[in-house]
Short mmCIF file of all heavy atoms in Angstrom, two decimals:
data_model
loop_
_atom_site.label_atom_id
_atom_site.label_comp_id
_atom_site.label_asym_id
_atom_site.label_seq_id
_atom_site.Cartn_x
_atom_site.Cartn_y
_atom_site.Cartn_z
N MET A 1 -3.27 -10.64 -29.74
CA MET A 1 -3.74 -9.22 -29.89
C MET A 1 -4.19 -8.76 -28.53
O MET A 1 -4.77 -9.42 -27.73
CB MET A 1 -5.00 -9.32 -30.89
CG MET A 1 -5.57 -7.97 -31.21
SD MET A 1 -4.60 -7.27 -32.40
CE MET A 1 -5.23 -5.66 -32.48
N ALA A 2 -3.84 -7.44 -28.31
CA ALA A 2 -4.20 -6.89 -26.99
C ALA A 2 -5.59 -6.48 -26.97
O ALA A 2 -6.24 -6.16 -27.95
CB ALA A 2 -3.29 -5.65 -26.82
N ASP A 3 -6.20 -6.47 -25.78
CA ASP A 3 -7.56 -6.02 -25.50
C ASP A 3 -7.66 -4.59 -25.50
O ASP A 3 -6.70 -3.88 -25.05
CB ASP A 3 -8.14 -6.64 -24.24
CG ASP A 3 -8.33 -8.13 -24.29
OD1 ASP A 3 -8.64 -8.62 -25.41
OD2 ASP A 3 -8.27 -8.74 -23.23
N THR A 4 -8.72 -4.02 -25.83
CA THR A 4 -9.01 -2.57 -25.71
C THR A 4 -9.82 -2.36 -24.49
O THR A 4 -10.77 -3.07 -24.18
CB THR A 4 -9.76 -2.04 -26.93
OG1 THR A 4 -8.99 -2.25 -28.05
CG2 THR A 4 -10.04 -0.53 -26.76
N ILE A 5 -9.44 -1.37 -23.64
CA ILE A 5 -10.19 -1.03 -22.43
C ILE A 5 -10.71 0.33 -22.45
O ILE A 5 -9.98 1.29 -22.87
CB ILE A 5 -9.25 -1.17 -21.18
CG1 ILE A 5 -8.77 -2.61 -21.04
CG2 ILE A 5 -9.96 -0.76 -19.89
CD1 ILE A 5 -7.72 -2.79 -20.01
N THR A 6 -11.93 0.61 -22.11
CA THR A 6 -12.47 1.97 -22.08
C THR A 6 -12.69 2.33 -20.66
O THR A 6 -13.09 1.61 -19.80
CB THR A 6 -13.82 1.94 -22.85
OG1 THR A 6 -13.65 1.41 -24.14
CG2 THR A 6 -14.39 3.27 -22.91
N ILE A 7 -12.22 3.60 -20.34
CA ILE A 7 -12.45 4.14 -19.02
C ILE A 7 -13.27 5.46 -19.08
O ILE A 7 -13.22 6.09 -20.08
CB ILE A 7 -11.10 4.40 -18.23
CG1 ILE A 7 -10.36 5.50 -18.95
CG2 ILE A 7 -10.35 3.12 -18.09
CD1 ILE A 7 -9.22 6.04 -18.10
N ARG A 8 -14.02 5.71 -18.04
CA ARG A 8 -14.62 7.04 -17.92
C ARG A 8 -13.77 7.86 -17.01
O ARG A 8 -13.56 7.49 -15.84
CB ARG A 8 -16.01 6.83 -17.30
CG ARG A 8 -17.05 6.22 -18.18
CD ARG A 8 -18.42 6.26 -17.62
NE ARG A 8 -19.36 5.66 -18.49
CZ ARG A 8 -19.70 4.34 -18.49
NH1 ARG A 8 -19.16 3.60 -17.45
NH2 ARG A 8 -20.62 3.89 -19.28
N SER A 9 -13.24 8.95 -17.46
CA SER A 9 -12.42 9.79 -16.70
C SER A 9 -13.17 10.97 -16.18
O SER A 9 -14.14 11.42 -16.68
CB SER A 9 -11.18 10.23 -17.57
OG SER A 9 -11.65 11.09 -18.52
N ASP A 10 -12.62 11.49 -14.99
CA ASP A 10 -13.19 12.68 -14.45
C ASP A 10 -12.09 13.71 -14.45
O ASP A 10 -11.06 13.51 -15.07
CB ASP A 10 -13.63 12.38 -12.99
CG ASP A 10 -12.51 11.74 -12.13
OD1 ASP A 10 -11.32 11.76 -12.57
OD2 ASP A 10 -12.84 11.20 -11.01
N ALA A 11 -12.36 14.85 -13.84
CA ALA A 11 -11.37 15.93 -13.85
C ALA A 11 -9.98 15.52 -13.32
O ALA A 11 -8.90 15.88 -13.82
CB ALA A 11 -11.87 17.14 -13.19
N GLU A 12 -10.05 14.76 -12.17
CA GLU A 12 -8.83 14.42 -11.54
C GLU A 12 -7.99 13.41 -12.43
O GLU A 12 -6.85 13.49 -12.46
CB GLU A 12 -9.12 13.72 -10.17
CG GLU A 12 -8.04 13.26 -9.37
CD GLU A 12 -8.45 12.70 -8.02
OE1 GLU A 12 -9.59 12.21 -7.87
OE2 GLU A 12 -7.52 12.65 -7.13
N THR A 13 -8.69 12.48 -13.13
CA THR A 13 -8.06 11.54 -13.96
C THR A 13 -7.48 12.30 -15.15
O THR A 13 -6.40 12.06 -15.61
CB THR A 13 -9.06 10.41 -14.42
OG1 THR A 13 -9.65 9.89 -13.27
CG2 THR A 13 -8.33 9.43 -15.33
N GLU A 14 -8.17 13.22 -15.67
CA GLU A 14 -7.72 14.02 -16.82
C GLU A 14 -6.47 14.79 -16.49
O GLU A 14 -5.54 14.88 -17.25
CB GLU A 14 -8.79 14.95 -17.38
CG GLU A 14 -9.89 14.25 -18.13
CD GLU A 14 -9.36 13.53 -19.37
OE1 GLU A 14 -8.53 13.99 -20.07
OE2 GLU A 14 -9.96 12.47 -19.65
N HIS A 15 -6.46 15.38 -15.28
CA HIS A 15 -5.24 16.01 -14.81
C HIS A 15 -4.06 15.11 -14.65
O HIS A 15 -3.02 15.42 -15.12
CB HIS A 15 -5.47 16.82 -13.43
CG HIS A 15 -4.23 17.36 -12.88
ND1 HIS A 15 -3.63 18.50 -13.43
CD2 HIS A 15 -3.52 16.95 -11.81
CE1 HIS A 15 -2.64 18.74 -12.64
NE2 HIS A 15 -2.45 17.94 -11.74
N ALA A 16 -4.30 13.93 -14.08
CA ALA A 16 -3.22 12.94 -13.97
C ALA A 16 -2.71 12.54 -15.33
O ALA A 16 -1.52 12.42 -15.51
CB ALA A 16 -3.73 11.73 -13.22
N LEU A 17 -3.61 12.35 -16.32
CA LEU A 17 -3.23 11.98 -17.62
C LEU A 17 -2.40 13.10 -18.28
O LEU A 17 -1.40 12.87 -18.96
CB LEU A 17 -4.33 11.64 -18.55
CG LEU A 17 -4.93 10.25 -18.27
CD1 LEU A 17 -6.27 10.02 -18.98
CD2 LEU A 17 -3.89 9.14 -18.69
N ASP A 18 -2.85 14.41 -18.05
CA ASP A 18 -1.99 15.51 -18.60
C ASP A 18 -0.63 15.42 -17.96
O ASP A 18 0.41 15.68 -18.73
CB ASP A 18 -2.73 16.81 -18.21
CG ASP A 18 -3.97 17.04 -19.04
OD1 ASP A 18 -4.13 16.38 -19.99
OD2 ASP A 18 -4.74 17.92 -18.56
N VAL A 19 -0.52 15.20 -16.68
CA VAL A 19 0.81 15.14 -16.07
C VAL A 19 1.65 13.99 -16.68
O VAL A 19 2.83 14.13 -17.03
CB VAL A 19 0.71 14.90 -14.51
CG1 VAL A 19 2.04 14.56 -13.93
CG2 VAL A 19 0.03 16.16 -13.88
N LEU A 20 1.06 12.77 -16.80
CA LEU A 20 1.72 11.61 -17.33
C LEU A 20 2.15 11.73 -18.82
O LEU A 20 3.04 10.98 -19.21
CB LEU A 20 0.84 10.34 -17.14
CG LEU A 20 0.73 9.99 -15.66
CD1 LEU A 20 -0.28 8.85 -15.50
CD2 LEU A 20 2.07 9.68 -14.93
N THR A 21 1.37 12.58 -19.56
CA THR A 21 1.69 12.69 -21.03
C THR A 21 2.41 13.95 -21.31
O THR A 21 2.68 14.32 -22.47
CB THR A 21 0.34 12.65 -21.88
OG1 THR A 21 -0.52 13.68 -21.41
CG2 THR A 21 -0.31 11.30 -21.67
N HIS A 22 2.84 14.73 -20.30
CA HIS A 22 3.52 15.96 -20.57
C HIS A 22 4.85 15.77 -21.31
O HIS A 22 5.32 16.68 -22.06
CB HIS A 22 3.81 16.61 -19.19
CG HIS A 22 4.42 18.00 -19.35
ND1 HIS A 22 3.73 19.07 -19.72
CD2 HIS A 22 5.72 18.41 -19.12
CE1 HIS A 22 4.54 20.13 -19.82
NE2 HIS A 22 5.73 19.77 -19.38
N ASP A 23 5.40 14.63 -21.13
CA ASP A 23 6.71 14.38 -21.85
C ASP A 23 6.51 13.87 -23.32
O ASP A 23 7.49 13.52 -24.02
CB ASP A 23 7.52 13.30 -21.11
CG ASP A 23 6.89 11.89 -21.06
OD1 ASP A 23 5.70 11.82 -21.54
OD2 ASP A 23 7.45 10.95 -20.51
N GLY A 24 5.24 13.88 -23.72
CA GLY A 24 4.99 13.46 -25.11
C GLY A 24 4.52 12.06 -25.23
O GLY A 24 4.14 11.59 -26.35
N SER A 25 4.45 11.32 -24.15
CA SER A 25 3.82 9.96 -24.14
C SER A 25 2.42 9.99 -24.65
O SER A 25 1.72 10.91 -24.27
CB SER A 25 3.93 9.31 -22.78
OG SER A 25 5.29 9.17 -22.38
N SER A 26 1.97 8.89 -25.24
CA SER A 26 0.55 8.78 -25.55
C SER A 26 -0.20 8.53 -24.27
O SER A 26 0.33 7.99 -23.31
CB SER A 26 0.31 7.69 -26.59
OG SER A 26 0.50 6.46 -26.09
N ARG A 27 -1.51 8.82 -24.29
CA ARG A 27 -2.41 8.48 -23.17
C ARG A 27 -2.38 7.02 -22.95
O ARG A 27 -2.35 6.46 -21.89
CB ARG A 27 -3.76 9.03 -23.41
CG ARG A 27 -3.89 10.55 -23.34
CD ARG A 27 -5.21 11.04 -23.97
NE ARG A 27 -6.37 10.63 -23.21
CZ ARG A 27 -7.00 11.34 -22.31
NH1 ARG A 27 -6.58 12.58 -22.01
NH2 ARG A 27 -8.08 10.93 -21.69
N SER A 28 -2.44 6.23 -24.05
CA SER A 28 -2.41 4.80 -23.93
C SER A 28 -1.18 4.21 -23.26
O SER A 28 -1.22 3.37 -22.37
CB SER A 28 -2.58 4.15 -25.33
OG SER A 28 -2.71 2.75 -25.24
N ALA A 29 -0.06 4.78 -23.68
CA ALA A 29 1.21 4.34 -23.02
C ALA A 29 1.28 4.79 -21.59
O ALA A 29 1.81 4.01 -20.72
CB ALA A 29 2.41 4.97 -23.82
N ALA A 30 0.77 5.96 -21.29
CA ALA A 30 0.85 6.43 -19.92
C ALA A 30 -0.07 5.55 -18.99
O ALA A 30 0.27 5.20 -17.84
CB ALA A 30 0.37 7.88 -19.84
N ILE A 31 -1.27 5.18 -19.51
CA ILE A 31 -2.15 4.32 -18.80
C ILE A 31 -1.58 3.01 -18.55
O ILE A 31 -1.60 2.41 -17.45
CB ILE A 31 -3.49 4.26 -19.45
CG1 ILE A 31 -4.26 5.64 -19.42
CG2 ILE A 31 -4.40 3.19 -18.80
CD1 ILE A 31 -5.37 5.79 -20.26
N ARG A 32 -1.00 2.39 -19.57
CA ARG A 32 -0.31 1.07 -19.46
C ARG A 32 0.75 1.08 -18.41
O ARG A 32 0.85 0.21 -17.56
CB ARG A 32 0.32 0.58 -20.87
CG ARG A 32 -0.69 -0.19 -21.70
CD ARG A 32 0.06 -0.86 -22.81
NE ARG A 32 0.87 0.01 -23.66
CZ ARG A 32 0.44 0.82 -24.61
NH1 ARG A 32 -0.74 0.75 -25.03
NH2 ARG A 32 1.32 1.55 -25.30
N GLN A 33 1.62 2.13 -18.46
CA GLN A 33 2.78 2.18 -17.55
C GLN A 33 2.18 2.35 -16.11
O GLN A 33 2.75 1.76 -15.19
CB GLN A 33 3.63 3.43 -17.85
CG GLN A 33 4.86 3.47 -17.08
CD GLN A 33 5.86 2.27 -17.27
OE1 GLN A 33 5.85 1.72 -18.33
NE2 GLN A 33 6.45 1.79 -16.16
N ALA A 34 1.20 3.18 -15.93
CA ALA A 34 0.59 3.39 -14.62
C ALA A 34 0.00 2.15 -14.05
O ALA A 34 0.15 1.77 -12.83
CB ALA A 34 -0.45 4.45 -14.69
N VAL A 35 -0.67 1.31 -14.91
CA VAL A 35 -1.27 0.09 -14.49
C VAL A 35 -0.16 -0.88 -14.06
O VAL A 35 -0.19 -1.54 -13.01
CB VAL A 35 -2.17 -0.48 -15.60
CG1 VAL A 35 -2.47 -1.97 -15.21
CG2 VAL A 35 -3.39 0.29 -15.74
N LEU A 36 0.89 -0.96 -14.87
CA LEU A 36 2.00 -1.92 -14.54
C LEU A 36 2.73 -1.49 -13.26
O LEU A 36 3.00 -2.39 -12.42
CB LEU A 36 2.98 -1.96 -15.68
CG LEU A 36 2.45 -2.57 -17.02
CD1 LEU A 36 3.50 -2.40 -18.09
CD2 LEU A 36 2.22 -4.08 -16.78
N GLU A 37 2.92 -0.24 -13.10
CA GLU A 37 3.66 0.22 -11.91
C GLU A 37 2.78 0.04 -10.61
O GLU A 37 3.32 -0.37 -9.56
CB GLU A 37 4.05 1.75 -12.02
CG GLU A 37 5.19 1.93 -12.96
CD GLU A 37 5.45 3.46 -13.24
OE1 GLU A 37 4.93 4.34 -12.52
OE2 GLU A 37 6.38 3.72 -14.09
N THR A 38 1.49 0.28 -10.71
CA THR A 38 0.64 0.02 -9.57
C THR A 38 0.62 -1.49 -9.20
O THR A 38 0.62 -1.80 -8.01
CB THR A 38 -0.84 0.54 -9.92
OG1 THR A 38 -0.71 1.92 -10.21
CG2 THR A 38 -1.73 0.27 -8.80
N ALA A 39 0.53 -2.31 -10.19
CA ALA A 39 0.51 -3.72 -9.92
C ALA A 39 1.80 -4.15 -9.25
O ALA A 39 1.81 -4.95 -8.31
CB ALA A 39 0.27 -4.56 -11.24
N MET A 40 2.94 -3.65 -9.73
CA MET A 40 4.24 -4.03 -9.16
C MET A 40 4.28 -3.51 -7.69
O MET A 40 4.75 -4.30 -6.77
CB MET A 40 5.35 -3.41 -9.95
CG MET A 40 5.64 -4.21 -11.22
SD MET A 40 7.14 -3.64 -12.06
CE MET A 40 6.98 -1.88 -12.25
N ARG A 41 3.85 -2.37 -7.37
CA ARG A 41 3.82 -1.84 -6.04
C ARG A 41 2.94 -2.67 -5.05
O ARG A 41 3.35 -3.02 -4.00
CB ARG A 41 3.34 -0.40 -5.96
CG ARG A 41 4.36 0.65 -6.26
CD ARG A 41 3.91 2.09 -5.91
NE ARG A 41 2.72 2.47 -6.59
CZ ARG A 41 2.62 3.04 -7.74
NH1 ARG A 41 3.70 3.24 -8.51
NH2 ARG A 41 1.44 3.43 -8.26
N ARG A 42 1.82 -3.08 -5.61
CA ARG A 42 0.89 -3.92 -4.81
C ARG A 42 1.54 -5.27 -4.62
O ARG A 42 1.41 -5.87 -3.48
CB ARG A 42 -0.45 -4.05 -5.51
CG ARG A 42 -1.30 -2.76 -5.34
CD ARG A 42 -2.70 -2.95 -5.87
NE ARG A 42 -3.36 -1.67 -5.80
CZ ARG A 42 -4.62 -1.56 -6.09
NH1 ARG A 42 -5.33 -2.58 -6.48
NH2 ARG A 42 -5.20 -0.35 -6.01
N GLU A 43 2.11 -5.83 -5.54
CA GLU A 43 2.78 -7.20 -5.40
C GLU A 43 3.91 -7.03 -4.35
O GLU A 43 4.09 -7.93 -3.57
CB GLU A 43 3.25 -7.75 -6.73
CG GLU A 43 2.19 -8.25 -7.64
CD GLU A 43 2.64 -8.65 -8.99
OE1 GLU A 43 3.74 -8.19 -9.40
OE2 GLU A 43 1.93 -9.53 -9.58
N ARG A 44 4.67 -6.00 -4.54
CA ARG A 44 5.80 -5.73 -3.58
C ARG A 44 5.30 -5.56 -2.17
O ARG A 44 5.91 -6.11 -1.19
CB ARG A 44 6.62 -4.58 -4.01
CG ARG A 44 8.00 -4.46 -3.38
CD ARG A 44 8.87 -3.40 -4.08
NE ARG A 44 8.26 -2.21 -4.51
CZ ARG A 44 8.12 -1.79 -5.66
NH1 ARG A 44 8.52 -2.50 -6.71
NH2 ARG A 44 7.50 -0.62 -5.87
N ALA A 45 4.24 -4.81 -2.01
CA ALA A 45 3.61 -4.60 -0.68
C ALA A 45 3.14 -5.83 -0.06
O ALA A 45 3.31 -6.20 1.12
CB ALA A 45 2.57 -3.54 -0.74
N ALA A 46 2.54 -6.73 -0.89
CA ALA A 46 2.01 -7.99 -0.38
C ALA A 46 3.13 -8.92 0.00
O ALA A 46 3.05 -9.59 1.05
CB ALA A 46 1.20 -8.64 -1.46
N ALA A 47 4.24 -8.91 -0.79
CA ALA A 47 5.34 -9.70 -0.43
C ALA A 47 5.96 -9.22 0.93
O ALA A 47 6.43 -10.00 1.73
CB ALA A 47 6.42 -9.65 -1.55
N MET A 48 6.04 -7.89 1.08
CA MET A 48 6.60 -7.34 2.35
C MET A 48 5.72 -7.75 3.55
O MET A 48 6.23 -8.04 4.57
CB MET A 48 6.71 -5.88 2.25
CG MET A 48 7.77 -5.45 1.27
SD MET A 48 7.81 -3.68 1.00
CE MET A 48 8.26 -3.06 2.60
N ARG A 49 4.33 -7.70 3.36
CA ARG A 49 3.51 -8.11 4.44
C ARG A 49 3.72 -9.62 4.79
O ARG A 49 3.80 -10.03 5.96
CB ARG A 49 2.08 -7.94 4.10
CG ARG A 49 1.64 -6.44 4.18
CD ARG A 49 0.06 -6.28 4.11
NE ARG A 49 -0.41 -6.71 2.76
CZ ARG A 49 -0.50 -5.95 1.73
NH1 ARG A 49 -0.08 -4.73 1.74
NH2 ARG A 49 -0.99 -6.39 0.57
N ARG A 50 3.83 -10.43 3.70
CA ARG A 50 4.04 -11.89 3.95
C ARG A 50 5.37 -12.10 4.69
O ARG A 50 5.48 -12.85 5.61
CB ARG A 50 4.03 -12.63 2.62
CG ARG A 50 2.66 -12.87 2.03
CD ARG A 50 2.71 -13.86 0.91
NE ARG A 50 3.53 -13.44 -0.19
CZ ARG A 50 3.17 -12.67 -1.19
NH1 ARG A 50 1.92 -12.16 -1.28
NH2 ARG A 50 4.02 -12.36 -2.18
N ALA A 51 6.39 -11.38 4.35
CA ALA A 51 7.69 -11.52 4.95
C ALA A 51 7.64 -11.07 6.35
O ALA A 51 8.25 -11.75 7.29
CB ALA A 51 8.73 -10.72 4.18
N ALA A 52 6.92 -10.04 6.62
CA ALA A 52 6.76 -9.49 8.04
C ALA A 52 6.10 -10.53 8.94
O ALA A 52 6.42 -10.69 10.12
CB ALA A 52 6.06 -8.18 8.10
N LEU A 53 5.05 -11.23 8.27
CA LEU A 53 4.40 -12.18 9.07
C LEU A 53 5.19 -13.42 9.40
O LEU A 53 4.89 -14.18 10.25
CB LEU A 53 3.05 -12.55 8.36
CG LEU A 53 1.96 -11.49 8.35
CD1 LEU A 53 0.84 -11.87 7.43
CD2 LEU A 53 1.50 -11.16 9.73
N GLN A 54 6.25 -13.68 8.69
CA GLN A 54 7.10 -14.76 8.82
C GLN A 54 8.27 -14.59 9.80
O GLN A 54 9.03 -15.49 10.08
CB GLN A 54 7.59 -15.30 7.49
CG GLN A 54 6.48 -15.92 6.61
CD GLN A 54 6.94 -16.21 5.28
OE1 GLN A 54 8.06 -15.97 4.80
NE2 GLN A 54 6.02 -16.81 4.45
N VAL A 55 8.44 -13.33 10.17
CA VAL A 55 9.50 -13.03 11.10
C VAL A 55 9.40 -13.64 12.44
O VAL A 55 8.22 -13.52 13.01
CB VAL A 55 9.65 -11.46 11.28
CG1 VAL A 55 10.63 -11.18 12.40
CG2 VAL A 55 10.02 -10.81 10.03
N PRO A 56 10.29 -14.47 12.96
CA PRO A 56 10.14 -15.13 14.19
C PRO A 56 10.04 -14.09 15.35
O PRO A 56 10.79 -13.17 15.36
CB PRO A 56 11.37 -16.00 14.33
CG PRO A 56 12.31 -15.53 13.42
CD PRO A 56 11.54 -14.74 12.31
N LEU A 57 9.11 -14.30 16.30
CA LEU A 57 8.94 -13.36 17.31
C LEU A 57 9.75 -13.75 18.61
O LEU A 57 9.83 -12.98 19.55
CB LEU A 57 7.46 -13.36 17.72
CG LEU A 57 6.47 -12.86 16.69
CD1 LEU A 57 5.09 -12.88 17.18
CD2 LEU A 57 6.86 -11.44 16.24
N GLY A 58 10.40 -14.83 18.56
CA GLY A 58 11.16 -15.22 19.70
C GLY A 58 10.38 -15.93 20.69
O GLY A 58 9.21 -16.19 20.54
N GLU A 59 11.01 -16.21 21.82
CA GLU A 59 10.34 -16.94 22.89
C GLU A 59 9.64 -15.90 23.85
O GLU A 59 10.18 -14.82 24.04
CB GLU A 59 11.36 -17.74 23.72
CG GLU A 59 11.98 -18.86 22.98
CD GLU A 59 10.90 -19.92 22.53
OE1 GLU A 59 10.06 -20.22 23.35
OE2 GLU A 59 10.95 -20.30 21.35
N PRO A 60 8.50 -16.33 24.36
CA PRO A 60 7.82 -15.40 25.37
C PRO A 60 8.70 -15.14 26.58
O PRO A 60 9.42 -16.04 27.02
CB PRO A 60 6.53 -16.15 25.76
CG PRO A 60 6.45 -17.29 24.80
CD PRO A 60 7.77 -17.47 24.19
N ASP A 61 8.69 -13.97 27.10
CA ASP A 61 9.56 -13.63 28.24
C ASP A 61 8.86 -13.77 29.55
O ASP A 61 9.40 -13.45 30.61
CB ASP A 61 10.11 -12.24 28.14
CG ASP A 61 9.04 -11.13 27.91
OD1 ASP A 61 7.88 -11.54 28.13
OD2 ASP A 61 9.32 -9.97 27.67
N GLY A 62 7.56 -14.18 29.58
CA GLY A 62 6.89 -14.40 30.77
C GLY A 62 6.23 -13.13 31.33
O GLY A 62 5.65 -13.18 32.42
N ILE A 63 6.36 -12.02 30.68
CA ILE A 63 5.76 -10.81 31.18
C ILE A 63 4.42 -10.63 30.50
O ILE A 63 4.30 -10.63 29.29
CB ILE A 63 6.70 -9.61 30.81
CG1 ILE A 63 8.02 -9.75 31.57
CG2 ILE A 63 5.98 -8.30 31.22
CD1 ILE A 63 9.10 -8.64 31.17
N ASP A 64 3.38 -10.40 31.37
CA ASP A 64 2.09 -10.16 30.90
C ASP A 64 1.94 -8.62 30.83
O ASP A 64 1.72 -7.99 31.88
CB ASP A 64 1.05 -10.75 31.84
CG ASP A 64 -0.41 -10.63 31.27
OD1 ASP A 64 -0.67 -9.81 30.48
OD2 ASP A 64 -1.26 -11.50 31.67
N VAL A 65 1.99 -8.07 29.69
CA VAL A 65 1.94 -6.65 29.50
C VAL A 65 0.73 -5.96 30.05
O VAL A 65 0.75 -5.00 30.69
CB VAL A 65 2.11 -6.26 28.02
CG1 VAL A 65 2.04 -4.73 27.79
CG2 VAL A 65 3.44 -6.74 27.51
N ALA A 66 -0.41 -6.63 29.92
CA ALA A 66 -1.72 -6.13 30.36
C ALA A 66 -1.68 -5.97 31.93
O ALA A 66 -2.09 -4.99 32.50
CB ALA A 66 -2.88 -6.97 29.93
N VAL A 67 -1.09 -6.99 32.57
CA VAL A 67 -0.98 -6.97 34.05
C VAL A 67 -0.10 -5.96 34.45
O VAL A 67 -0.34 -5.15 35.40
CB VAL A 67 -0.48 -8.33 34.57
CG1 VAL A 67 -0.17 -8.26 36.01
CG2 VAL A 67 -1.57 -9.45 34.33
N GLU A 68 1.06 -5.72 33.80
CA GLU A 68 2.02 -4.70 34.11
C GLU A 68 1.38 -3.29 33.93
O GLU A 68 1.64 -2.42 34.84
CB GLU A 68 3.27 -4.73 33.29
CG GLU A 68 4.08 -5.99 33.58
CD GLU A 68 4.67 -6.09 35.02
OE1 GLU A 68 5.07 -4.99 35.51
OE2 GLU A 68 4.49 -7.17 35.59
N ILE A 69 0.67 -3.06 32.93
CA ILE A 69 0.03 -1.78 32.63
C ILE A 69 -1.03 -1.56 33.73
O ILE A 69 -1.06 -0.46 34.30
CB ILE A 69 -0.67 -1.68 31.27
CG1 ILE A 69 0.50 -1.66 30.20
CG2 ILE A 69 -1.54 -0.47 31.12
CD1 ILE A 69 -0.04 -1.78 28.78
N SER A 70 -1.78 -2.47 34.08
CA SER A 70 -2.85 -2.35 35.15
C SER A 70 -2.14 -1.99 36.47
O SER A 70 -2.58 -1.13 37.16
CB SER A 70 -3.61 -3.67 35.28
OG SER A 70 -4.54 -3.61 36.31
N ARG A 71 -1.02 -2.71 36.72
CA ARG A 71 -0.30 -2.49 37.99
C ARG A 71 0.21 -1.03 38.03
O ARG A 71 0.04 -0.38 39.10
CB ARG A 71 0.86 -3.48 38.10
CG ARG A 71 1.59 -3.38 39.45
CD ARG A 71 2.71 -4.43 39.60
NE ARG A 71 2.07 -5.76 39.59
CZ ARG A 71 2.57 -6.82 38.91
NH1 ARG A 71 3.60 -6.73 38.19
NH2 ARG A 71 1.93 -7.93 38.94
N GLU A 72 0.82 -0.56 36.96
CA GLU A 72 1.34 0.77 36.88
C GLU A 72 0.24 1.83 37.10
O GLU A 72 0.40 2.81 37.73
CB GLU A 72 2.11 1.02 35.56
CG GLU A 72 3.37 0.24 35.51
CD GLU A 72 4.12 0.38 34.11
OE1 GLU A 72 3.50 1.20 33.31
OE2 GLU A 72 5.04 -0.29 33.88
N ARG A 73 -0.90 1.58 36.42
CA ARG A 73 -2.06 2.58 36.53
C ARG A 73 -2.59 2.54 37.96
O ARG A 73 -3.07 3.58 38.44
CB ARG A 73 -3.09 2.21 35.53
CG ARG A 73 -2.69 2.56 34.15
CD ARG A 73 -3.78 2.42 33.12
NE ARG A 73 -3.40 2.74 31.82
CZ ARG A 73 -4.02 2.46 30.74
NH1 ARG A 73 -5.17 1.70 30.71
NH2 ARG A 73 -3.54 2.77 29.53
N GLY A 74 -2.57 1.34 38.63
CA GLY A 74 -2.97 1.31 39.98
C GLY A 74 -2.15 2.10 40.86
O GLY A 74 -2.59 2.76 41.86
N GLU A 75 -0.74 2.10 40.62
CA GLU A 75 0.11 2.84 41.48
C GLU A 75 -0.04 4.35 41.22
O GLU A 75 0.27 5.22 42.15
CB GLU A 75 1.54 2.45 41.19
CG GLU A 75 1.89 1.04 41.54
CD GLU A 75 3.26 0.54 41.00
OE1 GLU A 75 3.93 1.34 40.27
OE2 GLU A 75 3.58 -0.55 41.27
N GLU A 76 -0.57 4.78 40.10
CA GLU A 76 -0.73 6.18 39.79
C GLU A 76 -1.83 6.82 40.53
O GLU A 76 -1.96 8.04 40.72
CB GLU A 76 -1.00 6.38 38.29
CG GLU A 76 0.26 6.09 37.48
CD GLU A 76 -0.06 6.12 36.00
OE1 GLU A 76 -1.20 6.48 35.58
OE2 GLU A 76 0.89 5.88 35.14
N ARG A 77 -2.77 5.97 40.96
CA ARG A 77 -4.05 6.47 41.66
C ARG A 77 -3.82 6.82 43.05
O ARG A 77 -3.21 6.86 43.83
CB ARG A 77 -5.16 5.41 41.54
CG ARG A 77 -5.59 5.24 40.20
CD ARG A 77 -6.66 4.20 40.16
NE ARG A 77 -6.92 3.88 38.72
CZ ARG A 77 -7.77 2.95 38.37
NH1 ARG A 77 -8.43 2.34 39.20
NH2 ARG A 77 -7.91 2.74 37.05
#
């Protein structure tokens, strides 16, 4: 059996529900779909962050960027 959830809506939420139910969907169905879609987006974003963190950065090239920037700024003065 599914659980019942109660929410307190405000004007912004009511407007969003009006948009989501414009096609005749029930409020309950619209809320369920919105929750599922939001969860999928968050899981996909988390998976993309994990994948980005696993990308090999390659070998260091021996260039110290901070030193190079400092050197360039010194030449500008």
Side-chain angles (χ1 to χ4, degrees):
M1 184 78 188
D3 290 331
T4 300
I5 300 172
T6 303
I7 65 166
R8 289 187 180 93
S9 64
D10 55 13
E12 185 178 18
T13 305
E14 287 298 322
H15 174 71
L17 282 169
D18 289 343
V19 170
L20 294 173
T21 58
H22 185 73
D23 65 356
S25 299
S26 70
R27 289 167 64 99
S28 183
I31 292 167
R32 271 193 308 274
Q33 187 63 34
V35 168
L36 293 172
E37 288 176 5
T38 300
M40 284 189 305
R41 278 194 302 273
R42 287 187 182 183
E43 286 176 337
R44 194 168 43 245
M48 290 172 65
R49 283 191 297 274
R50 284 191 301 273
L53 291 173
Q54 294 174 354
V55 172
L57 298 178
E59 294 298 316
D61 57 10
I63 297 174
D64 187 336
V65 176
V67 170
E68 292 299 317
I69 291 173
S70 176
R71 184 177 298 137
E72 288 174 10
R73 288 186 178 166
E75 293 171 0
E76 293 174 0
R77 294 181 190 177

